[in-house]
């Protein structure tokens, strides 16, 4: 047993704290994966218009670009969906969580970027 302050701290308590830390870090990795996927889809959707212009009919280019950009918006929304759907709070972790308001602000901005990119796909010029 380890002593912290005046109270003994047994290894079961420490394992519980470490499990809470792993839970927080796993949630952050999941968030990062959703955002990374959203950025890849956004870049692919915007690039689809330029790369596939002249290869596919215009409706195919618009459909492909639109689906990819909309999927990227979905990814940015799904990244914070787990924050909204939080279950029972884990035991107090040692690691600090990312501020929720920051996640909402960044992902809200990214969804607005997706809408602007969608407008660019639909109304931007294609130089093939």
């Amino acid at each position: 047993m380890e002593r912290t302050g005046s109270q003994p701290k047994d290894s079961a308590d420490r394992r519980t704290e470490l499990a809470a830390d792993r839970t927080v870090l796993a949630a952050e990795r999941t968030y990062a994966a959703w955002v990374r996927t959203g950025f890849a889809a956004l870049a692919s959707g915007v690039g689809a218009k330029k790369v596939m212009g002249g290869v596919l009919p215009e409706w195919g280019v618009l459909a492909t670009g639109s689906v990819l950009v909309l999927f990227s918006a979905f990814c940015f929304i799904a990244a914070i969906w787990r924050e909204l759907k939080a279950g029972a709070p884990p035991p107090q972790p040692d690691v600090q969580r990312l501020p929720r308001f920051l996640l909402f602000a960044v992902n809200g901005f990214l969804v607005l970027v997706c809408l602007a990119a969608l407008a660019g796909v639909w109304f931007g010029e294609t130089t093939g």
Side-chain angles (χ1 to χ4, degrees):
M1 290 200 325
E2 177 185 323
R3 265 195 157 333
T4 57
S6 63
Q7 296 180 327
K9 187 174 193 178
D10 66 4
S11 61
D13 288 338
R14 182 64 184 148
R15 284 194 309 265
T16 301
E17 288 174 359
L18 292 174
D21 292 347
R22 287 191 300 270
T23 301
V24 168
L25 296 173
E28 289 179 0
R29 282 191 306 273
T30 302
Y31 170 80
W34 277 109
V35 171
R36 182 178 56 240
T37 302
F39 278 132
L42 181 61
S44 299
V46 171
K49 184 158 187 177
K50 182 72 171 176
V51 173
M52 295 190 332
V55 177
L56 290 178
E58 184 65 21
W59 66 268
V61 173
L62 290 176
T64 302
S66 297
V67 167
L68 287 167
V69 170
L70 289 173
F71 178 70
S72 71
F74 167 78
C75 288
F76 296 137
I77 292 168
I80 58 171
W81 173 67
R82 290 175 55 100
E83 286 293 322
L84 292 174
K85 192 187 153 231
Q92 193 62 25
D94 290 335
V95 297
Q96 193 172 11
R97 299 186 77 132
L98 291 171
R100 287 179 108 183
F101 76 90
L102 183 63
L103 297 179
F104 290 116
V106 167
N107 285 52
F109 175 73
L110 290 173
V111 169
L112 292 175
V113 169
C114 288
L115 295 176
L118 186 62
V121 167
W122 276 87
F123 303 113
E125 287 186 31
T126 304
T127 55

